[in-house]
Amino acid sequence: MQRPVQLGVLGAAKFAREYMAPAIHAANGARLAALATSDTAKAEPFQSFCPDLQVFDSYDALLADAGIDAIYIPLPNHMHAEWSLKALKAGKHVLCEKPMTMKADEFDALIQKRDQSGLLAAEAYMIVHHPQWQLARKLIADGAIGNLVHVTGAFSFDNRSDTRNIRNRAETGGGGLRDIGVYVIGGARFATGQEPVSVQSAIRWQDDIDIFTEIRAQFPGFTYSSYVSIRMHPHQEMVFHGESGLIRLTTPFNARVFGEARVELHRPGLEVQVTRFPGADHYKLQVEAFCRSIRDGAEYPCPLEFSRGTQEVIDRVFEGAVSL
């Protein structure tokens, strides 16, 4: 039996505590082995479900431990690229939260180091590991809705009261587009396999962060429109509208948190086929895919090149946006 991949976490982030650390702990082929935090009190919730967790008082100390195979990085956005590169240089595989970089060209150093080292480095873009997205991609490729005509996406929540949240701070790479725009953009790219040829956008700013972004784009085979906001009532949805059918994902991004993941296939005659995924945990599936790639050399579903492509679109959205 193969030794589980020994994973260490840089920082006791809330998201790591509530979602990714439990997913690592539960994943087949993985072991939650270590956490780096200068505040030992922040380690206690992690130790409550992983009693043998080793705690380091600095990120560098964890990276120096020879027993750690891979690093998960849930740090503030502006620190992702720096610590991903440090972890690769320390000989560790890397799974880093999105956005992995603040600009697309920052991926180049990561790709170069990945290739030089032979290590796996990936953005923690969990939705591609969920079976609802794999089904949607297959249905589109198989022609279940005929020629694809238009794609719409929406993702919103309201965190205005959480003033200390890194998403509400410009200096930590906050704003809605980097945090959740990756989903409405990357989801369309993943499901269709196409890249936008033109992009138009409008942004509403508040305290130097984007709180609402509207995007319109032309892909080679279809048109696209989406919006994201961190100042609106919670909502999420992706719709792929074809000439002879429609695919709707009702909980495309926060499955089991926002609601049950469902894929609706709307067919002629008002027929609707619904596929439900009540138990699928995309965080756990992501960790298991990451570990399979490390152990067995399996192709990873979301390589850095894909994540770079999404960041390229985000860069274009920022660069060409009109202010609302």
Side-chain angles (χ1 to χ4, degrees):
M1 185 174 179
Q2 287 183 305
R3 170 180 174 268
V5 175
Q6 308 293 299
L7 279 119
V9 179
L10 293 190
K14 178 182 178 182
F15 182 78
R17 181 179 74 243
E18 295 183 353
Y19 296 105
M20 279 299 293
I24 293 169
H25 187 59
N28 295 319
R31 177 174 175 263
L32 180 60
L35 171 71
T37 176
S38 58
D39 185 347
T40 56
K42 290 184 177 181
E44 292 175 3
F46 293 82
Q47 292 171 313
S48 68
F49 62 85
C50 187
D52 60 346
L53 185 73
Q54 186 175 4
V55 179
F56 293 86
D57 62 6
S58 73
Y59 302 157
D60 287 313
L62 194 158
L63 293 183
D65 190 292
I68 301 300
D69 304 314
I71 301 296
Y72 167 65
I73 301 175
L75 299 171
N77 293 345
H78 69 298
M79 301 172 68
H80 288 174
E82 174 191 0
W83 283 96
S84 292
L85 197 56
K86 286 182 177 181
L88 287 170
K89 289 178 178 178
K92 313 299 185 186
H93 303 280
V94 174
L95 182 63
C96 178
E97 273 308 319
K98 49 77 201 161
M100 198 168 185
T101 72
M102 300 292 284
K103 291 282 189 178
D105 59 11
E106 294 177 7
F107 271 100
D108 297 340
L110 295 170
I111 291 171
Q112 182 181 37
K113 189 62 183 177
R114 176 202 66 185
D115 293 346
Q116 288 177 346
S117 65
L119 296 164
L120 175 61
E123 186 176 63
Y125 193 62
M126 75 291 186
I127 68 170
V128 302
H129 304 277
H130 198 289
Q132 68 171 331
W133 278 97
Q134 294 160 9
L135 174 59
R137 186 182 194 182
K138 185 177 188 303
L139 288 171
I140 294 168
D142 290 349
I145 58 172
N147 293 324
L148 182 61
V149 178
H150 188 70
V151 175
T152 59
F155 196 2
S156 64
F157 59 87
D158 189 345
N159 73 345
R160 76 186 73 201
S161 63
D162 191 2
T163 56
R164 298 181 63 185
N165 193 300
I166 60 173
R167 296 164 184 82
N168 285 323
R169 295 164 54 194
E171 68 272 17
T172 56
L177 188 57
R178 290 190 177 97
D179 185 49
I180 55 179
V182 295
Y183 295 120
V184 295
I185 294 169
R189 294 178 59 243
F190 176 77
T192 67
Q194 293 193 29
E195 303 292 343
V197 295
S198 64
V199 177
Q200 295 177 310
S201 55
I203 296 178
R204 181 175 296 121
W205 299 91
Q206 182 181 86
D207 299 326
D208 297 322
I209 61 168
D210 56 291
I211 61 169
F212 173 86
T213 301
E214 182 181 19
I215 306 166
R216 295 183 182 275
Q218 178 71 54
F219 284 71
F222 60 92
T223 53
Y224 167 92
S225 61
S226 68
Y227 67 87
V228 296
S229 177
I230 56 175
R231 294 292 186 273
M232 293 171 68
H233 182 78
H235 174 64
Q236 55 185 263
E237 182 180 57
M238 288 291 295
V239 176
F240 301 86
H241 201 154
E243 291 180 346
S244 58
L246 177 149
I247 297 166
R248 177 173 176 254
L249 280 67
T250 61
T251 311
F253 312 126
N254 290 129
R256 301 201 312 167
V257 176
F258 187 77
E260 181 186 65
R262 301 196 309 270
V263 176
E264 298 176 357
L265 175 59
H266 295 243
R267 304 294 299 274
L270 299 181
E271 175 191 356
V272 181
Q273 300 174 5
V274 181
T275 306
R276 292 177 165 84
F277 303 91
D281 182 344
H282 49 198
Y283 299 117
K284 179 174 176 284
L285 293 170
Q286 174 180 245
V287 174
E288 290 175 347
F290 182 73
C291 292
R292 278 196 302 273
S293 293
I294 292 172
R295 295 193 322 269
D296 308 327
E299 183 178 358
Y300 192 68
C302 188
L304 291 181
E305 287 81 359
F306 177 85
S307 298
R308 191 190 195 285
T310 298
Q311 188 59 51
E312 285 178 353
V313 181
I314 290 174
D315 290 351
R316 292 165 66 183
V317 170
F318 275 125
E319 291 163 5
V322 298
S323 294
L324 295 172

